[in-house]
Amino acid sequence: MSRARNLTGMRILLAPALAVLLALPFVGCRAMARAGQAAGVVTPEQADAMIKTGDSFGKALEQITPEQEYYVGRAVGATLMSTHKGYDNAAATRYVNLVGQTLAMGSDKPETFGGYHFLIFDSDEINAFAAPGGLIFLSRGMLRLCKTEDELAAVLAHEVAHVNLGHAIAAISNSRWTQAFTILGTEGAKSFGGEQLSQLTTAFEGSIDDITSKLVTSGYARGQERAADALAVTILRRVGYDPGALARVLGNMAHDLKPGGVDFAKTHPPPQARIADLSKMKFAPPAPAPAARQQRFQQSMRGV
Amino acid sequence: MRIRPHLLAVALAMVMAGGAYAAVSADMSVQIRNAQLRATPSYLGKVSGNVPYAQRVQIMQVQGDWFEVRSGTATGWLHKSALTTKKIAAKSGAADVGATASGEELALAGKGFNADVEADFKKKNAKIDFGPIDRMEKIKVSPGDARAFLEQGGVKAATGGAR
């Protein structure tokens, strides 16, 4: 049989395989939970929690395209940054982007429409946000909490995990999504009229509100945070950072977070509870970090 | 004998799908703004070409999360998260992907939250500044930068590094 004919035959056979392989990222939590369980990374309780979280995902997460997620993420980011000032430190920003990018590459969803980008905002609060599509924001206060590159990687991996798991998009209420798509269902909406666009923008604004209030005020469900921590550990392992660094940075947080604060103290489970969950996960410690890693961390964090 | 791994992949897929699978074409669309083809199935592989949003590519073989694709004369590997089985209809000659409309299940996508909606949102929310977002999106880390960074810091996974 000629090579060309082989390839044609192969393409037909490949079709069902592709359908399944491509469906996997969209199965999301459930598949991740099972894979993690099989690899002995996630405890059965965590896997259950992750699956439950997956079951409660809304219409937006099922239906959104990467391109739409990108535009939602930009507006969420711009809204967050309207109350936070950017931190002008090129060396620290570059460094955080380098660490973050290697984690994104080792994550379950390395490709997003516009890619992953990281910004430091100038605040003493201990905080970090992940907008849809991979725009990740962290405070100077959060950076100061990190004593090593591995601890910084742990913080960033947790945020990358929220992006992978679609948690922000899942915060969009079903009614907004229905509203948006009712407008779009209108015949001939290929290029909008002014009124359709205006209605669509209203649904967009509502979606941005849903997400920012989740990020800034109410926080994710406990199960979602647990899922993000579990995936963060997996990402750290894949890239080669110490998975134990997540529990360590949470320990720093337990020490430094002020009760009643409007930052992580408000939107996240107590660090001690997250450390307790992480202590159930088993992983081999990686090779010790060479001195060069700590040197570049200290150099990049100088002045932060 | 190149066909064997593919038969394996198909068999595996059928088992995973419990026998229920839909017939789809082995052509797929790029669903990110700019997909970089890599010479090897890894982010640490050299970039061997670029494929724009909505471009159809032909699947040559699958290895884990990586698909070897052909686009015109270029071949290379893409991570599965860059691809969709759905057809995306880009406006011919449109530079702005936000102004694209899409077909099949993605029919609504190009018409959904896009650059037009962002522009309208900006008009109605003048106090919200997109400047910091535009600037952060300009920060680029190339695969070479990432590789050098991991090596310099001695960051190495026991199982062979970043995927």
Side-chain angles (χ1 to χ4, degrees):
Chain A
M1 205 190 285
S2 75
R3 168 113 179 246
R5 284 188 62 189
N6 258 338
L7 278 175
T8 311
M10 183 191 89
R11 286 180 63 195
I12 293 160
L13 286 167
L14 261 178
L18 291 178
V20 173
L21 286 169
L22 277 175
L24 285 178
F26 309 108
V27 176
C29 269
R30 190 179 287 273
M32 210 272 297
R34 287 186 182 150
Q37 216 174 345
V41 178
V42 180
T43 63
E45 292 84 351
Q46 283 169 325
D48 282 343
M50 286 153 66
I51 288 168
K52 281 195 195 111
T53 309
D55 285 345
S56 66
F57 282 169
K59 285 181 189 167
L61 189 63
E62 286 167 23
Q63 298 172 1
I64 201 160
T65 63
E67 186 190 5
Q68 295 193 106
E69 191 174 352
Y70 168 76
Y71 284 106
V72 170
R74 277 175 56 80
V76 166
T79 305
L80 291 172
M81 288 307 290
S82 64
T83 52
H84 293 92
K85 194 170 152 285
Y87 175 48
D88 188 15
N89 181 332
T93 300
R94 176 77 189 159
Y95 178 71
V96 166
N97 273 274
L98 278 161
V99 177
Q101 205 62 47
T102 62
L103 297 164
M105 286 174 181
S107 76
D108 282 357
K109 193 180 170 188
E111 301 283 3
T112 65
F113 185 82
Y116 289 79
H117 304 278
F118 302 81
L119 182 151
I120 307 166
F121 59 91
D122 196 353
S123 166
D124 291 335
E125 69 187 52
I126 294 171
N127 224 338
F129 307 106
L135 299 180
I136 290 169
F137 304 84
L138 75 167
S139 65
R140 273 176 86 181
M142 181 67 98
L143 277 182
R144 283 193 210 114
L145 203 67
C146 302
K147 307 298 176 211
T148 64
E149 183 172 304
D150 290 58
E151 290 182 14
L152 169 64
V155 169
L156 296 175
H158 175 88
E159 298 306 320
V160 168
H162 277 309
V163 175
N164 278 197
L165 297 169
H167 286 161
I169 292 296
I172 300 175
S173 72
N174 284 349
S175 62
R176 308 257 193 232
W177 200 250
T178 308
Q179 182 193 359
F181 282 89
T182 307
I183 298 158
L184 288 166
T186 316
E187 191 64 31
K190 199 162 185 171
S191 51
F192 322 113
E195 198 185 327
Q196 282 165 342
L197 178 60
S198 186
Q199 285 173 350
L200 198 54
T201 305
T202 303
F204 184 72
E205 283 171 337
S207 303
I208 307 311
D209 282 350
D210 286 347
I211 295 173
T212 47
S213 70
K214 184 71 84 176
L215 293 177
V216 176
T217 311
S218 59
Y220 290 125
R222 177 74 190 274
Q224 289 175 307
E225 291 301 343
R226 208 179 274 145
D229 279 344
L231 181 53
V233 162
T234 301
I235 294 169
L236 291 167
R237 280 175 61 249
R238 279 185 195 144
V239 177
Y241 283 111
D242 180 4
L246 181 53
R248 283 201 298 278
V249 78
L250 286 168
N252 304 346
M253 214 178 276
H255 185 263
D256 288 13
L257 267 184
K258 293 181 184 68
V262 293
D263 45 16
F264 257 44
K266 185 177 179 182
T267 54
H268 281 69
Q272 293 85 347
R274 294 171 64 192
I275 293 169
D277 285 336
L278 286 165
S279 69
K280 297 174 199 153
M281 299 169 73
K282 303 212 182 323
F283 37 76
R293 198 186 303 174
Q294 189 59 13
Q295 274 164 17
R296 72 183 181 187
F297 173 81
Q298 281 164 346
Q299 198 171 349
S300 307
M301 290 298 118
R302 197 173 291 157
V304 170
Chain B
M1 289 299 102
R2 284 181 50 155
I3 202 154
R4 282 208 173 141
H6 309 310
L7 286 170
L8 263 178
V10 171
L12 178 69
M14 286 168 72
V15 169
M16 289 165 78
Y21 53 88
V24 296
S25 159
D27 283 349
M28 299 199 294
S29 307
V30 168
Q31 62 169 352
I32 61 169
R33 185 156 49 194
N34 175 38
Q36 292 186 316
L37 295 176
R38 285 165 210 279
T40 54
S42 157
Y43 281 107
L44 305 182
K46 251 175 84 178
V47 175
S48 60
N50 288 278
V51 189
Y53 182 68
Q55 179 84 47
R56 295 292 281 177
V57 295
Q58 186 189 332
I59 308 306
M60 312 299 294
Q61 61 167 321
V62 181
Q63 209 179 95
D65 291 338
W66 289 83
F67 287 21
E68 190 182 28
V69 306
R70 172 178 290 164
S71 167
T73 54
T75 58
W77 294 85
L78 287 178
H79 189 272
K80 68 180 180 188
S81 54
L83 294 164
T84 175
T85 50
K86 295 164 187 170
K87 273 186 188 157
I88 306 171
K91 259 186 189 169
S92 58
D96 179 8
V97 291
T100 59
S102 47
E104 290 185 0
E105 288 109 313
L106 275 181
L108 301 174
K111 297 188 281 175
F113 297 155
N114 61 16
D116 294 339
V117 174
E118 183 180 294
D120 199 43
F121 176 85
K122 283 175 176 166
K123 229 187 295 171
K124 290 173 177 162
N125 298 275
K127 281 186 189 153
I128 296 179
D129 178 13
F130 279 68
I133 307 304
D134 294 336
R135 286 191 291 279
M136 79 188 282
E137 282 189 19
K138 287 203 177 85
I139 300 170
K140 300 263 191 274
V141 174
S142 73
D145 294 342
R147 187 172 46 235
F149 183 78
L150 289 170
E151 274 170 19
Q152 188 218 18
V155 184
K156 198 166 180 286
T159 52
R163 301 192 299 175

